Amino acid sequence: MSKNNPILQVKDLTVSFNAFAGKVQAVRGVSFDLNKGETLCIVGESGSGKSVTNKAIMGILSKNAVIDRGEILYDGMDLTKLTEEQFCQIRGKRIAMVFQDPLSALNPIMKVGKQITETLCVHQKLSHEQAKKRALELMAAVGIPEPEKRFDQYPFQFSGGMRQRIVIVIALACNPEILICDEPTTALDVTIQSKILDLIKEIKQERNLSVIFITHNMGVVANMADRICVMYAGKIVEFGTCDDIFYHPAHPYTWALLSAMPDSESRERLFSIPGAPPNMLMPPKGDAFAPRNHYALDIDFKEEPPFFKLSDTHYAATWLLHPYAPRVEMPEELKRRIDRMVEEDMEYECK
Amino acid sequence: MNANERDILLDVKNLHTHFISGHGKTKVTVKAVNGVSFQVKNGETFGLVGESGCGKTTLGRTIIRLYNPSSGEVTFGGRIISGKKDAELQKFLTSNIAMVFQDPIASLNPRMTVQEIIAEGLKIKGIKDEATVRNMVGEALYRVGLLPEHATRYPHEFSGGQRQRIGIARALIVEPTMVIADEPISALDVSIQAQVINVLNDLKRDMGLTILFIAHDLSVVKYFSDTIGVMYKGRMVEMGDADKVYHNPLHPYTKSLISSIPLPNPHGERRRVRVSYDPSAYNIDDERLEMRHVEEGHSILCTPDEYEKYVLMANRG
């Protein structure tokens, strides 16, 4: 996939849940690498398996989840085979996570100071004074005003953006190598969202963190990503660098995702994906996206498409890229939008 | 505004909604809506944006009288609807203004079938003949892109986007003149958002609906609305034609709001300069603040000193 040495490798990960009605196949063979110091964005609609993949990496899958196949390689270890005790040495210390809803991620009856120093005391064996000193430094670093006063307050006394900053402080407390952000800004307002995104970018730069960023907002992706994985129905359907995905999208699902969001110039009717995602109790045969796809070929309903290589960094799993497939162009509206983007870039360079 | 008097459907004048809690020394007044005036023309879509807690939802709910206004006047189709709420006014409101709520799961009763949910408005309106009701429900479902046979199902059997469309069908069945859509898409996925926006857009075109669209996502509001009003701390800070507000924002708060929308354009995002708004530099409670007209179809909340600066900026842009 890439010549850089990956810090985390996910290989053919398959996760299913034992439910009352049967086996829900949430993740069906996902493989990706995370390189040192890069931000990998995972996009897809709800239920596409992006959160489950990352919970598997963090080792926080619920009890009825089973990892059927695959491995997660980190620092010479396969995370899927670790015991809970071994995992405790990694979770929170070397791989940390920022959750979607900062209010439910924090303990409401525990002072935030305690919640931050907890990890420091456990993992780094710091004394309470040392831990407090470190916590105050971190709180100042993420832009929380008056950290001394805030240290002794409860989560409800914080605004949404400040709460998310606390969650980020907790995640950063032990200097992790990998930070997983699971929709960290979905619950926040746009103005606060942009501040939190800037903050994550800043700390990533400072600490040379590797970040996995999960979101369904293509605008946020454009803002954050170095590389992008697009997931649908438990599989990666397209992956590539940020430019690959935004300027040369190849999978119909990526087209749909990109054109579903109005940009500053759109006037036309928005493209909406018809139907609903498939029931993962019985994943459909062939390409899971085929029933909702305008461009589906007969073979899409029969056989699963393999990854076709578009460039060294860009791969997509769709039969449309097969040499025998009819040539299909991306939707007009999306093409116009990409042209507009290219034009803007040219204008900017001329300046 | 020099719009024809007859064109104006909803006219809100200096509306205040205050919430009071506690007594005596502990009495706290929250001025959720603090002197807002605007007009919505017939067939127009008015987009109301602002961060959470700025009072946009309260404003919507005060108009439809889920809350009582503290002072100010609301006129709807020539009739004052901010006065004493009696049975007659209630009836007038329910048959003319309908509301679509944010959370499609919480706003549909899980123990009622879709048929019952949608027909509830008709029952209140006095239409009780079963066959007629069934026909009308089927028609309403069809209009929002669902099938008449969906009527016998329960809300939990539907996906998020479909549930929100049921919410829209329920609002439309009484054939209202205006719909207040309170963040109808915030709880939905991106691909599903497009479905709901398209449904609303079709209805607007086919039925000539007037929509008050409340949201915090400015890019969607811009796409969807004719006029945009930006609220901040209970006040309207900027208002005008969608294009003018979006492409030439004047108020510093609007600027920061627009600059923080993430756009699906990676290179553009990297070179974009974000404007941050410093609330301490502007006194939102200043008594001299007033909504002033800076150019055709564009007004802004400012003091007389700032006014000239804004007029210059507007004409330059």
Side-chain angles (χ1 to χ4, degrees):
Chain A
M1 274 199 209
S2 154
K3 280 151 221 132
N4 309 4
N5 49 332
I7 181 168
L8 181 87
Q9 277 181 297
V10 177
K11 282 186 185 163
D12 194 28
L13 183 72
T14 307
V15 184
S16 55
F17 292 92
N18 290 320
F20 183 67
K23 237 177 175 202
V24 181
Q25 302 175 27
V27 178
R28 306 184 293 149
V30 164
S31 307
F32 61 84
D33 293 356
L34 177 68
N35 298 323
K36 182 91 192 134
E38 78 167 355
T39 305
L40 177 74
C41 276
I42 302 184
V43 257
E45 59 195 300
S46 342
S48 59
K50 44 194 201 310
S51 287
V52 175
T53 309
N54 286 286
K55 281 184 178 164
I57 297 172
M58 274 299 274
I60 48 171
L61 286 170
S62 57
K63 275 195 187 119
N64 62 342
V66 188
I67 297 179
D68 298 316
R69 252 185 305 128
E71 44 191 13
I72 303 167
L73 299 176
Y74 170 70
D75 194 18
M77 290 175 286
D78 182 358
L79 296 186
T80 58
K81 301 213 165 57
L82 291 187
T83 61
E84 184 55 31
E85 269 143 48
Q86 288 169 312
F87 224 127
C88 284
Q89 292 303 310
I90 295 173
R91 192 189 296 134
K93 191 176 181 183
R94 304 177 66 185
I95 305 179
M97 192 155 178
V98 175
F99 294 91
Q100 175 172 0
D101 183 359
L103 189 56
S104 50
L106 294 171
N107 186 339
I109 52 166
M110 198 177 186
K111 286 176 182 165
V112 296
K114 180 91 192 296
Q115 299 190 48
I116 300 168
T117 52
E118 203 179 18
T119 38
L120 287 166
C121 294
V122 171
H123 284 304
Q124 305 202 325
K125 310 276 184 299
L126 295 183
S127 70
H128 280 288
E129 288 72 45
Q130 283 171 315
K132 180 169 179 182
K133 201 167 149 255
R134 175 104 179 92
L136 292 177
E137 278 168 27
L138 281 166
M139 283 167 80
V142 298
I144 297 172
E146 301 176 76
E148 265 99 10
K149 189 180 138 207
R150 293 301 214 170
F151 190 83
D152 284 322
Q153 286 186 339
Y154 290 94
F156 77 88
Q157 289 166 302
F158 287 72
S159 65
M162 285 296 154
R163 259 180 229 146
Q164 196 58 290
R165 280 171 208 257
I166 295 288
V167 176
I168 292 173
V169 167
I170 296 173
L172 291 177
C174 292
N175 271 326
E177 277 186 290
I178 300 175
L179 183 68
I180 299 176
C181 303
D182 189 354
E183 309 219 12
T185 57
T186 312
L188 304 176
D189 267 335
V190 265
T191 38
I192 297 153
Q193 165 171 288
S194 76
K195 284 187 188 132
I196 295 287
L197 293 181
D198 286 346
L199 175 68
I200 294 174
K201 269 195 272 191
E202 209 175 281
I203 50 184
K204 182 204 138 197
Q205 210 84 86
E206 256 168 41
R207 294 156 185 260
N208 197 21
L209 275 177
S210 313
V211 181
I212 299 181
F213 198 97
I214 307 175
T215 179
H216 61 240
N217 186 330
M218 287 312 257
V220 174
V221 175
N223 202 334
M224 300 295 291
D226 295 318
R227 284 197 305 137
I228 301 168
C229 288
V230 182
M231 276 187 83
Y232 182 76
K235 280 185 179 247
I236 292 179
V237 293
E238 182 167 4
F239 67 89
T241 62
C242 197
D243 286 10
D244 287 339
I245 302 287
F246 278 98
Y247 288 85
H248 313 285
H251 197 283
Y253 181 62
T254 317
W255 295 345
L257 269 186
L258 283 170
S259 32
M261 197 179 158
D263 76 348
S264 57
E265 295 300 324
S266 1
R267 293 235 165 267
E268 306 87 347
R269 190 182 168 80
L270 288 179
F271 179 82
S272 72
I273 309 176
N279 181 355
M280 297 315 285
L281 270 171
M282 290 165 283
K285 210 176 151 199
D287 185 356
F289 186 57
R292 302 173 73 189
N293 187 354
H294 292 294
Y295 308 96
L297 309 171
D298 274 348
I299 189 164
D300 274 319
F301 293 95
K302 289 173 194 144
E303 219 174 311
E304 243 172 62
F307 273 111
F308 289 94
K309 183 175 172 178
L310 285 142
S311 74
D312 282 342
T313 50
H314 190 188
Y315 292 77
T318 164
W319 284 116
L320 292 179
L321 295 171
H322 194 273
Y324 296 152
R327 252 186 86 67
V328 173
E329 293 282 333
M330 65 177 89
E332 276 298 304
E333 147 70 358
L334 185 59
K335 212 184 216 170
R336 274 201 294 277
R337 198 181 288 189
I338 291 171
D339 289 345
R340 273 205 296 268
M341 265 156 53
V342 174
E343 233 169 72
E344 257 176 54
D345 291 347
M346 300 266 273
E347 257 172 47
Y348 182 74
E349 269 161 37
C350 290
K351 272 182 203 163
Chain B
M1 286 193 194
N2 41 14
N4 197 333
E5 285 288 317
R6 263 194 213 147
D7 277 354
I8 292 162
L9 180 67
L10 180 76
D11 189 0
V12 177
K13 278 188 203 135
N14 200 18
L15 187 72
H16 289 258
T17 308
H18 298 176
F19 295 106
I20 297 164
S21 69
H23 297 282
K25 273 185 188 167
T26 56
K27 184 169 163 178
V28 183
T29 309
V30 177
K31 296 178 177 171
V33 177
N34 194 6
V36 169
S37 309
F38 66 96
Q39 294 170 325
V40 181
K41 277 177 252 161
N42 241 326
E44 179 188 50
T45 304
F46 190 96
L48 204 55
V49 272
E51 60 192 351
S52 36
C54 73
K56 52 190 192 308
T57 298
T58 311
L59 176 60
R61 292 189 171 187
T62 309
I63 291 169
I64 201 172
R65 292 301 293 275
L66 287 172
Y67 298 141
N68 285 328
S70 308
S71 67
E73 194 179 89
V74 184
T75 321
F76 181 84
R79 179 180 170 162
I80 295 174
I81 55 169
S82 53
K84 190 170 165 287
K85 193 163 91 174
D86 49 22
E88 206 269 315
L89 177 65
Q90 181 68 43
K91 197 153 192 183
F92 176 75
L93 284 172
T94 46
S95 57
N96 280 296
I97 312 180
M99 196 148 178
V100 178
F101 294 93
Q102 173 170 6
D103 188 344
I105 302 168
S107 62
L108 300 177
N109 188 339
R111 310 180 93 181
M112 280 161 92
T113 61
V114 169
Q115 163 90 31
E116 286 163 348
I117 290 170
I118 297 179
E120 220 179 1
L122 289 178
K123 229 191 268 167
I124 294 166
K125 223 181 170 186
I127 301 171
K128 292 199 174 94
D129 179 53
E130 232 173 76
T132 327
V133 169
R134 207 175 308 124
N135 275 340
M136 286 176 85
V137 169
E139 210 176 290
L141 282 170
Y142 181 74
R143 252 192 241 148
V144 295
L146 295 170
L147 298 170
E149 51 262 40
H150 286 145
T152 51
R153 297 197 197 163
Y154 287 90
H156 72 92
E157 295 174 64
F158 293 91
S159 69
Q162 286 175 319
R163 276 186 212 148
Q164 194 57 284
R165 284 187 267 169
I166 295 172
I168 296 171
R170 168 175 65 180
L172 291 177
I173 193 101
V174 291
E175 291 178 345
T177 338
M178 187 170 90
V179 171
I180 299 178
D182 187 2
E183 309 226 13
I185 53 164
S186 312
L188 305 174
D189 245 1
V190 195
S191 60
I192 314 281
Q193 283 185 1
Q195 288 178 8
V196 174
I197 295 176
N198 283 341
V199 165
L200 282 172
N201 242 340
D202 293 346
L203 293 171
K204 183 172 119 185
R205 200 189 49 225
D206 300 343
M207 302 174 60
L209 269 183
T210 308
I211 303 177
L212 179 63
F213 188 80
I214 303 173
H216 64 249
D217 187 343
L218 234 167
S219 56
V220 173
V221 172
K222 146 81 176 46
Y223 168 77
F224 192 61
S225 316
D226 307 313
T227 313
I228 296 181
V230 182
M231 274 186 85
Y232 180 67
K233 291 207 171 155
R235 306 199 68 160
M236 192 78 90
V237 294
E238 187 162 359
M239 186 165 67
D241 299 346
D243 278 323
K244 282 181 183 148
V245 174
Y246 193 86
H247 291 294
N248 186 21
L250 297 176
H251 196 276
Y253 179 71
T254 319
K255 281 185 182 167
S256 83
L257 201 62
I258 289 173
S259 83
S260 52
I261 309 166
L263 291 173
N265 177 349
H267 293 180
E269 277 296 309
R270 250 164 255 160
R271 52 175 183 254
R272 205 143 148 226
V273 186
R274 305 228 184 265
V275 186
S276 66
Y277 176 68
D278 176 19
S280 57
Y282 300 88
N283 182 8
I284 199 83
D285 292 323
D286 196 325
E287 293 206 337
R288 292 172 302 155
L289 281 177
E290 205 178 294
M291 214 58 190
R292 285 166 223 269
H293 216 63
V294 287
E295 59 176 321
E296 178 69 38
H298 196 168
S299 37
I300 187 164
L301 186 76
C302 59
T303 60
D305 326 345
E306 291 166 341
Y307 177 63
E308 283 171 21
K309 187 182 84 192
Y310 285 130
V311 170
L312 269 177
M313 274 164 68
N315 293 331
R316 210 187 308 139

